[in-house]
Amino acid sequence: MNKIMKKAAVLLMTAALTAGLTACAAQGGSSAAAAPAADGANITYKVGICNYVDDASLNQIVDNIEAQLETLGKENNVTFEISYDNCNADSNVLNQIIANFISDNVDLMIGVATPVAMTMQSLTEGKDIPVVFAAVSDPEGAGLVESNAAPGANITGTSDYLDTNAIMNLIFANDPDATRIGLLYDIGQDSSTAPIEAAKKYLDDKGIEYVEHTGTNVDEIALAAQAFVSDGVDAIFTPTDNTVMTAELTIYETLANAGIPHYTGADSFALNGAFVGYGVDYANLGVETANMVKGILVDGNDPAATPVMTFDNGTATVNTDTCALLGLDYETVKAAFEPYCLRVQEITTAESFE
């Protein structure tokens, strides 16, 4: 072999070794997170996404996370290899999904909804795997972060914090004479705790009576809806509660036919038949969650110093099908809501967003 051939062989071996080291780094948890792609190298980041339950709100988040990561991958010459699973509110299944992510050496986990985020936080303790949560209503109250401004650990994310007073204002803008309000939620949902307490305070301050019914599954929520009909409530409030969201297609006609408007904490409830959904733009939340993932893995951002993002789009989404069932005129409702919203928009009943 002459000197020129030897030199070429050495260069080829060096290039191969460098490529091999780069590929290994991309599979090694946070070692990949600190090293952005460079010099045209396409790095693959493994991302594990676990959804809490199959409903329109959370599915919309996942769809937008996946779509945005695909876009960001192309823009930054990297690949986000996504492993997706849904625990369907089963804690044993949730634990197994996270164990599988750990075994697969994912570079980052995304937990959609509070129970998933809390379990990921617990099971990744002492491991160098960042966690980004999505749709956690009260990250500080759940103990996920030291503060929303400075999470302080290897976890951050997006919050669907709900402005409860804004929704309560809509109830009385539409019906100033309402005297009895129903509170429908799953007592086991962390996302419901703070908004329900806020709703009670709002109603107590106004001297308005309220009635509570809860449920932990679709059948129990359906029974609760029937109970509200018997109670003769004037309206019902539900926060961003995943259990009720899952049951909405089952209960909306029961409530509407009884003349009871259902006011809720996200437009996806209205998509599934609730009279009004307010304030949480889950599509944008999913996009911003993906942007956080890219910031951590590609740009080397520190989750502990990445502030939690909150969202309130100030939009009241009115289901016009349900509005008609209630015997209400949409234009009249819209005029009543407009002083309390940035925007009022229409939607009709469907199972999922297109």
Side-chain angles (χ1 to χ4, degrees), residues 99-178:
N100 290 343
F101 288 162
I102 294 171
S103 177
D104 289 341
N105 294 317
V106 297
D107 295 297
L108 182 146
M109 295 187 196
I110 301 174
V112 183
T114 303
V116 180
M118 293 179 69
T119 306
M120 283 183 174
Q121 179 192 45
S122 174
L123 296 183
T124 59
E125 187 173 358
K127 296 177 172 57
D128 204 12
I129 305 174
V131 173
V132 174
F133 55 76
V136 172
S137 300
D138 186 5
E140 292 181 9
L144 287 168
V145 296
E146 292 180 8
S147 73
N148 287 340
N154 208 21
I155 183 169
T156 188
T158 56
S159 172
D160 58 349
Y161 167 79
L162 184 66
D163 184 351
T164 302
N165 286 0
I167 298 182
M168 304 307 288
N169 287 338
L170 297 182
I171 293 176
F172 293 97
N174 185 54
D175 185 3
D177 299 323

Side-chain angles (χ1 to χ4, degrees), residues 229-242:
V229 174
S230 300
D231 292 333
V233 297
D234 297 306
I236 294 173
F237 164 67
T238 293
T240 51
D241 187 300
N242 294 310

Side-chain angles (χ1 to χ4, degrees), residues 57-247:
S57 295
L58 303 188
N59 292 348
Q60 187 182 26
I61 293 171
V62 172
D63 289 345
N64 281 275
I65 289 173
E66 293 180 338
Q68 181 68 356
L69 286 179
E70 182 177 359
T71 298
L72 292 171
K74 293 175 181 177
E75 292 175 353
N76 293 273
N77 195 30
V78 299
T79 299
F80 295 102
E81 182 181 297
I82 296 172
S83 297
Y84 170 78
D85 215 330
N86 188 326
C87 70
N88 288 308
D90 186 316
S91 59
N92 292 325
V93 174
L94 173 58
N95 288 339
Q96 186 58 56
I97 290 170
I98 296 172
N100 290 343
F101 288 162
I102 294 171
S103 177
D104 289 341
N105 294 317
V106 297
D107 295 297
L108 182 146
M109 295 187 196
I110 301 174
V112 183
T114 303
V116 180
M118 293 179 69
T119 306
M120 283 183 174
Q121 179 192 45
S122 174
L123 296 183
T124 59
E125 187 173 358
K127 296 177 172 57
D128 204 12
I129 305 174
V131 173
V132 174
F133 55 76
V136 172
S137 300
D138 186 5
E140 292 181 9
L144 287 168
V145 296
E146 292 180 8
S147 73
N148 287 340
N154 208 21
I155 183 169
T156 188
T158 56
S159 172
D160 58 349
Y161 167 79
L162 184 66
D163 184 351
T164 302
N165 286 0
I167 298 182
M168 304 307 288
N169 287 338
L170 297 182
I171 293 176
F172 293 97
N174 185 54
D175 185 3
D177 299 323
T179 59
R180 177 181 287 183
I181 305 300
L183 304 177
L184 174 62
Y185 60 103
D186 179 351
I187 199 168
Q189 288 276 321
D190 293 307
S191 60
S192 293
T193 303
I196 290 295
E197 290 305 310
K200 290 178 181 178
K201 182 180 185 307
Y202 179 102
L203 295 169
D204 284 339
D205 289 346
K206 289 179 68 72
I208 301 294
E209 179 185 2
Y210 54 83
V211 180
E212 296 178 76
H213 290 297
T214 65
T216 60
N217 55 49
V218 171
D219 290 340
E220 291 178 3
I221 295 298
L223 290 173
Q226 291 285 359
F228 281 123
V229 174
S230 300
D231 292 333
V233 297
D234 297 306
I236 294 173
F237 164 67
T238 293
T240 51
D241 187 300
N242 294 310
T243 303
V244 181
M245 173 66 242
T246 303

